[in-house]
Amino acid sequence: MITLSRLLLFAALNAILGHSIALDLDDYSKANNQSLLWAPYRSNCYFGLRPRYVNDEPFVLGAMWFNSINAQGLAKVRHFVEQGDKLDKYGWIWYDPRIGGRETIRDSESNLQLNFTFVKSHSGENWAVQVEGDLIDKNKEAAHSIVIYMKQNGKEDSSCYLNQNDIFTKNRNELSFTGFSNELKGYTIKLADENSKFYKDAVPPLSPDCDPSKPTVLSMNIPDDQLWKAKDVFQSLLKDSIQAHVETNPQLSANLIPSALTIRNIHNFPPGNVQYIQQTFEGHFKFNIIFNKKGSKDQIAENSVDHLIVLAEGLVQQKFNKKFGIADNSLYRDFAQETFSNLLGGLSYFHGTHLVDRETAFDNENFDRIELLNSNEEGPLELFSMVPSRAFFPRGFYWDEGFHLLQLLDYDSDLVFEVLHSWFNLIDKDGWIPREVILGDEARSKVPEEFRVQNPNIANPPTLLLAFSEILSRAKTIQEEMLESHLQENYQYEELDSSFQGDKLNNNPELLISYAKEIYPKLLKHYEWFRNSQKGMLEEYMEVPSINSKVHMEEAYRWIGRTFTHCLPSGMDDYPRAIPPDIAELHVDALTWVGVMTRSMKQIASVIDLVEEIKRFATIEENIVENLKTLHWDDDQKLFCDITFNDDANTDEALRKFVCHEGYVSLLPFAVKLIPHTDVERLKHILDSMSNTTTLLSPYGIRSLSKTDEYYDTGEVYWRGPIWLNINYLCLDALEYYFLESPLKKSEGQNEELFLQARTLYKQLRQNIIDNVYKIWKKDGYVYEQYNHKNGKGSGVQHFTGWTALVVNMIGKLPEEL
């Protein structure tokens, strides 16, 4: 608890520093917004660019490509990231949203090696994209059509525009455009090729307006909310054009196909705010797209793009090296940077309405799947978030995002704050945050219809508060260190500047603490919503003697929305639960996550010095820890288990039936550090469980479900055996907490064997995970959603650079030799 003397010291420090917190927050926000304004925030596209927090009239850019050497190329236009495209590889090899990055794509079917390199000016107002490509197989002919589309959004009666300028240069392969929006103001865009080899056949093109040997521009209008269909529009226009060609030239020869697959204004559209630019190449090509805001002091010159790229790559490498400390000669160095870059490459900005059903009532006794048929559009809302997978899950996931942020804490704490701030803004008047945030038609187009509608009865593991409490705890520690440094006259306050690199909160913790005070009422509402909405029926068990005398009545929970076969709200979809389901069942992981949430709220209250709230949360946390033992610990199996009501019981004690499935659910109270250090007996049983190769421990990580469980490797085999890195990471973190940094180290020698076992498991588990994920990446070029529990192969969604990127933290966090 903070003392009066320390409060006075903090007050004195603030007075000495002479800074207004409100002003600092404004300056912080301005600087952060500037450095994060532009980036490839349309991560569902192979390359898609838009500004953050510019919603009414944003400028939007996207890229497409296909091989137009034959007619089949039109059906294989690449635009949105799709697993079905079966590219050899795609992804960022270095990237930071504040600086820039390079995405490399290898598409053997199109015979194309393609790079997109994105960089920004120092102010963050201006940017450039360099597009470079070449044949993979020089012996195969190709006509690579690269299509860039750009749109200046804005209502028809607005002053927004995006127009092609007249060309006054002798270089026919240079295009320039002028645009304006009320939010972005005036800007120019230039596309310039650098000695690219355009496609040119020996025969003349079908018509002058579809000549593949030079850039082609088509201007038209597309409604703002339909731009995500840019590929469909492009293909439709080409089909109409081809049909017209065929009508006048029925015997279309093969060498004229690239000409036929060049876009033209077949319908005589008037110029509009969408510009399609198609360029077709037959060999190596390289061109730059340069955006400059009018009046900006650091506009990007055409001849400076290569230099900017070199500088940006150097900055990204330096930042990565500084934050993770992975040696340049490490076996894992390139793997780690690429994997982490792809986590950052999933950073997205969404804006639009979402579908919510607030009318459908949940029948707590019916465990059939609930149809959410009374949805309404709500919003518009906005979300700044990473995504688990650009191909398969390009949207915000509440339970995934906390793990994403834990990865970022040491790399860019300011970015963690920006994402958390965006998520917390979604808390509605009742305290609810959707488990999936799907904003607008572009995001909805990638989601199966049955999953698009959200319901405020359904929760998800509250990992966001886990991340927020961690960043606040660090801020408090830094603040106290600053106080000590100031008192010793060694402290210097760091001013905000334009070289914003993501560590301002570390140097100015009062900013974060001030925000915590501001957001606390909303977080409290969210906390209470979670506890109330997932409350379990403990009354059914009050006749059980071992429960009745010890239990805390308010702290029992279950996941609302569970069905006979799945418990989607828990995040572990098909992990086995009670069969048959029962209205009175209680879930150990639901109680555990409320414990995590309570501990986080206690830490937040501590940081902002709410003394009575600290006491209240501490009491609730203690009650939850005791209930974990009283309700959910099975002394026979030595596991934490779900419980259900036993209608066939012949004694009062037997009214509680343990539903034990050894695996991630049984390990969770340990993994999130809710077991007291003093509970050595239970810690030993859990350590034995994790170390057992006949049940949970595999050569590739800890299995999600024990090999001896009746449901192991059955059904969908999703959370019934495969290895997931998020839970393995938590287990490693907990091993370090309990046994490598534990106060128990100083206890009697009776625990020596226990610590030796823990250290051995830690080293073995960590190395097994790193080696396997690296081996699969080396072979396939990707990391995966999960890893096979029998052979270690990648399974589930390919290129799942959400929480699987936690492997980088495992590599970078090298403890001293154990």
Side-chain angles (χ1 to χ4, degrees):
M1 188 181 301
I2 195 161
T3 64
L4 177 61
S5 60
R6 288 177 66 202
L7 280 171
L8 291 173
L9 284 171
F10 281 127
L13 176 61
N14 287 331
I16 294 168
L17 293 174
H19 285 274
S20 162
I21 294 302
L23 179 61
D24 284 344
L25 281 171
D26 288 343
D27 290 344
Y28 166 83
S29 179
K30 181 179 178 181
N32 222 10
N33 287 342
Q34 194 86 336
S35 68
L36 292 170
L37 173 63
W38 291 103
Y41 291 139
R42 299 178 67 206
S43 68
N44 59 309
C45 300
Y46 285 110
F47 188 84
L49 186 69
R50 64 152 296 153
R52 187 180 75 132
Y53 298 137
V54 177
N55 296 322
D56 293 331
E57 299 168 348
F59 170 89
V60 182
L61 177 145
M64 302 183 285
W65 74 88
F66 65 103
N67 189 349
S68 62
I69 200 68
N70 56 58
Q72 289 71 39
L74 182 57
K76 296 176 181 177
V77 177
R78 317 300 199 190
H79 178 223
F80 285 163
V81 183
E82 303 283 357
Q83 287 195 127
D85 287 344
K86 296 182 179 178
L87 304 186
D88 305 273
K89 186 163 184 170
Y90 69 91
W92 297 91
I93 55 175
W94 56 270
Y95 179 68
D96 184 297
R98 299 186 189 277
I99 304 167
R102 174 170 295 145
E103 182 178 31
T104 186
I105 294 163
R106 186 176 177 86
D107 183 358
S108 287
E109 189 174 21
S110 299
N111 195 23
L112 176 63
Q113 176 68 45
L114 181 64
N115 291 327
F116 292 97
T117 308
F118 171 75
V119 290
K120 292 189 275 193
S121 65
H122 184 70
S123 70
E125 291 182 323
N126 311 308
W127 51 264
V129 178
Q130 187 171 91
V131 185
E132 185 172 16
D134 206 347
L135 300 169
I136 294 175
D137 186 343
K138 300 285 199 278
N139 296 317
K140 291 183 179 178
E141 190 179 11
H144 292 129
S145 275
I146 311 298
V147 181
I148 303 296
Y149 64 89
M150 308 181 295
K151 183 177 193 304
Q152 175 50 65
N153 282 13
K155 296 179 181 178
E156 289 186 17
D157 58 352
S158 73
S159 55
C160 298
Y161 62 84
L162 178 60
N163 299 328
Q164 183 179 3
N165 298 327
D166 292 330
I167 299 176
F168 296 107
T169 175
K170 294 179 182 179
N171 183 355
R172 64 176 185 158
N173 295 334
E174 183 176 291
L175 304 171
S176 65
F177 302 83
T178 301
F180 176 85
S181 83
N182 292 295
E183 292 172 289
L184 295 169
K185 305 306 179 185
Y187 57 86
T188 62
I189 299 173
K190 180 180 286 187
L191 278 79
D193 284 293
E194 297 187 11
N195 300 316
S196 299
K197 188 176 182 181
F198 280 75
Y199 181 87
K200 189 171 183 179
D201 202 84
V203 297
L206 287 166
S207 61
D209 60 352
C210 56
D211 183 355
S213 69
K214 60 183 180 181
T216 301
V217 180
L218 170 62
S219 181
M220 63 182 296
N221 277 308
I222 298 176
D224 292 356
D225 61 356
Q226 297 297 305
L227 183 64
W228 64 276
K229 296 180 179 177
K231 172 184 168 181
D232 299 334
V233 172
F234 178 80
Q235 289 175 310
S236 178
L237 290 174
L238 268 187
K239 288 175 183 176
D240 291 346
S241 178
I242 292 168
Q243 184 62 38
H245 283 311
V246 171
E247 288 175 0
T248 58
N249 191 352
Q251 302 299 320
L252 191 63
S253 62
N255 56 5
L256 285 173
I257 290 176
S259 175
L261 292 179
T262 299
I263 197 169
R264 58 176 174 155
N265 195 354
I266 186 74
H267 299 298
N268 296 314
F269 293 127
N273 283 354
V274 175
Q275 306 285 346
Y276 281 99
I277 303 106
Q278 181 177 1
Q279 300 178 93
T280 303
F281 308 97
E282 61 176 296
H284 175 265
F285 60 88
K286 180 179 176 182
F287 64 91
N288 296 323
I289 308 167
I290 303 172
F291 176 102
N292 280 314
K293 184 176 180 179
K294 289 184 177 179
S296 176
K297 295 180 180 179
D298 62 350
Q299 293 190 0
I300 299 173
E302 185 179 334
N303 61 2
S304 69
V305 174
D306 287 337
H307 177 64
L308 270 179
I309 290 172
V310 171
L311 288 177
E313 183 174 8
L315 284 171
V316 172
Q317 300 285 4
Q318 289 174 25
K319 186 173 177 181
F320 183 84
N321 290 342
K322 178 183 177 183
K323 303 294 185 177
F324 288 105
I326 301 172
D328 287 340
N329 62 354
S330 168
L331 175 68
Y332 309 114
R333 176 62 176 73
D334 292 343
F335 160 64
Q337 176 147 27
E338 184 174 314
T339 301
F340 191 76
S341 294
N342 279 302
L343 168 72
L344 288 170
L347 187 63
S348 305
Y349 179 70
F350 305 97
H351 179 264
T353 60
H354 68 152
L355 300 176
V356 180
D357 181 346
R358 296 182 184 270
E359 298 176 22
T360 298
F362 277 47
D363 180 355
N364 290 330
E365 297 185 12
N366 183 352
F367 290 91
D368 293 330
R369 180 171 181 153
I370 295 172
E371 299 287 335
L372 299 175
L373 303 176
N374 299 301
S375 65
N376 291 291
E377 286 192 52
E378 296 184 0
L381 302 171
E382 58 190 7
L383 179 66
F384 187 51
S385 175
M386 279 159 287
V387 302
S389 161
R390 292 170 60 193
F392 208 76
F393 299 117
R395 55 192 184 274
F397 281 79
Y398 180 93
W399 119 272
D400 292 64
E401 195 63 13
F403 289 103
H404 300 162
L405 297 181
L406 287 174
Q407 298 172 73
L408 283 178
L409 272 174
D410 290 325
Y411 181 80
D412 193 320
S413 60
D414 297 338
L415 182 56
V416 171
F417 169 79
E418 286 293 307
V419 172
L420 281 170
H421 180 72
S422 182
W423 273 94
F424 290 158
N425 280 344
L426 295 176
I427 299 173
D428 71 5
K429 61 181 179 60
D430 299 318
W432 172 63
I433 300 178
R435 61 184 291 268
E436 294 186 30
V437 181
I438 311 162
L439 303 180
D441 288 336
E442 182 168 341
R444 277 195 282 273
S445 70
K446 297 282 286 186
V447 184
E449 190 170 352
E450 63 266 30
F451 297 117
R452 292 178 184 174
V453 182
Q454 303 298 299
N455 182 280
N457 293 299
I458 298 175
N460 232 194
T463 57
L464 290 174
L465 278 176
L466 189 65
F468 189 52
S469 66
E470 176 63 25
I471 194 173
L472 276 178
S473 296
R474 295 183 184 196
K476 194 71 169 181
T477 300
I478 292 168
Q479 185 190 51
E480 294 178 1
E481 290 172 353
M482 285 181 171
L483 175 59
E484 293 296 324
S485 297
H486 177 77
L487 293 177
Q488 297 169 15
E489 298 184 353
N490 293 324
Y491 173 72
Q492 284 189 330
Y493 189 88
E494 181 168 329
E495 297 288 347
L496 297 167
D497 57 41
S498 59
S499 60
F500 207 64
Q501 294 300 317
D503 57 2
K504 296 298 172 184
L505 292 175
N506 287 339
N507 296 301
N508 303 275
E510 282 292 344
L511 298 176
L512 188 57
I513 294 170
S514 178
Y515 171 73
K517 293 176 182 176
E518 177 186 316
I519 197 65
Y520 181 79
K522 289 187 78 170
L523 295 182
L524 183 60
K525 185 176 288 187
H526 178 51
Y527 172 73
E528 298 297 352
W529 166 82
F530 196 104
R531 293 180 72 213
N532 293 331
S533 65
Q534 308 304 299
K535 182 74 70 179
M537 296 176 61
L538 188 52
E539 296 83 1
E540 299 284 331
Y541 299 94
M542 294 314 294
E543 293 182 24
V544 179
S546 59
I547 291 177
N548 181 276
S549 59
K550 300 177 182 178
V551 76
H552 300 280
M553 289 297 297
E554 294 300 311
E555 308 307 333
Y557 299 93
R558 68 187 182 101
W559 296 110
I560 300 299
R562 105 105 151 154
T563 67
F564 275 85
T565 57
H566 288 76
C567 188
L568 298 179
S570 73
M572 301 184 197
D573 303 7
D574 66 338
Y575 195 96
R577 304 285 179 168
I579 299 294
D582 190 274
I583 189 174
E585 68 185 49
L586 298 175
H587 299 134
V588 62
D589 53 331
L591 177 61
T592 300
W593 282 117
V594 176
V596 171
M597 206 176 193
T598 304
R599 182 179 62 199
S600 298
M601 292 299 294
K602 182 184 71 175
Q603 290 171 333
I604 296 166
S606 176
V607 165
I608 59 179
D609 303 322
L610 299 176
V611 176
E612 293 304 315
E613 289 288 84
I614 296 170
K615 292 178 181 177
R616 182 169 79 93
F617 291 129
T619 299
I620 296 173
E621 183 183 6
E622 289 172 8
N623 293 345
I624 287 172
V625 170
E626 289 176 10
N627 272 11
L628 278 170
K629 295 183 289 186
T630 301
L631 291 174
H632 292 286
W633 179 259
D634 184 350
D635 270 326
D636 293 333
Q637 298 204 44
K638 309 300 181 187
L639 298 172
F640 287 106
C641 308
D642 291 345
I643 62 173
T644 190
F645 191 77
N646 184 4
D647 292 313
D648 299 325
N650 50 23
T651 66
D652 287 344
E653 191 63 45
L655 289 171
R656 170 181 58 180
K657 180 181 179 181
F658 286 104
V659 182
C660 292
H661 297 285
E662 185 177 13
Y664 289 171
V665 165
S666 69
L667 295 178
L668 196 63
F670 167 82
V672 298
K673 309 170 191 171
L674 275 186
I675 302 172
H677 277 99
T678 53
D679 196 347
V680 178
E681 193 64 29
R682 284 187 180 81
L683 290 174
K684 183 181 186 310
H685 290 311
I686 291 168
L687 188 58
D688 288 341
S689 174
M690 288 193 296
S691 305
N692 191 338
T693 56
T694 63
T695 56
L696 292 184
L697 186 62
S698 81
Y700 321 106
I702 295 174
R703 301 178 181 93
S704 47
L705 190 63
S706 167
K707 284 175 66 176
T708 60
D709 193 280
E710 62 178 308
Y711 294 101
Y712 174 76
D713 208 34
T714 63
E716 297 168 15
V717 196
Y718 200 44
W719 292 84
R720 297 187 176 190
I723 290 144
W724 296 77
L725 259 68
N726 61 332
I727 305 300
N728 273 272
Y729 175 84
L730 290 179
C731 288
L732 280 170
D733 194 47
L735 282 169
E736 189 171 350
Y737 171 77
Y738 284 110
F739 299 107
L740 307 186
E741 301 172 345
S742 172
L744 289 178
K745 278 185 177 181
K746 300 177 182 178
S747 61
E748 307 85 55
Q750 62 184 4
N751 290 323
E752 237 176 76
E753 186 178 334
L754 188 66
F755 282 104
L756 178 60
Q757 181 185 0
R759 287 194 294 270
T760 301
L761 175 61
Y762 181 92
K763 291 174 67 175
Q764 179 185 1
L765 177 60
R766 177 181 166 277
Q767 198 62 51
N768 283 354
I769 293 169
I770 293 171
D771 287 346
N772 185 64
V773 177
Y774 171 74
K775 181 182 74 174
I776 300 303
W777 172 83
K778 194 75 175 173
K779 175 178 173 290
D780 295 352
Y782 298 107
V783 297
Y784 287 82
E785 182 181 14
Q786 54 185 211
Y787 290 84
N788 188 278
H789 41 299
K790 297 176 180 178
N791 53 34
K793 292 182 179 178
S795 57
V797 173
Q798 183 190 68
H799 213 6
F800 188 95
T801 47
W803 59 43
T804 300
L806 282 162
V807 68
V808 180
N809 299 67
M810 296 178 192
I811 296 169
K813 190 177 183 182
L814 292 169
E816 295 179 6
E817 190 62 32
L818 305 176

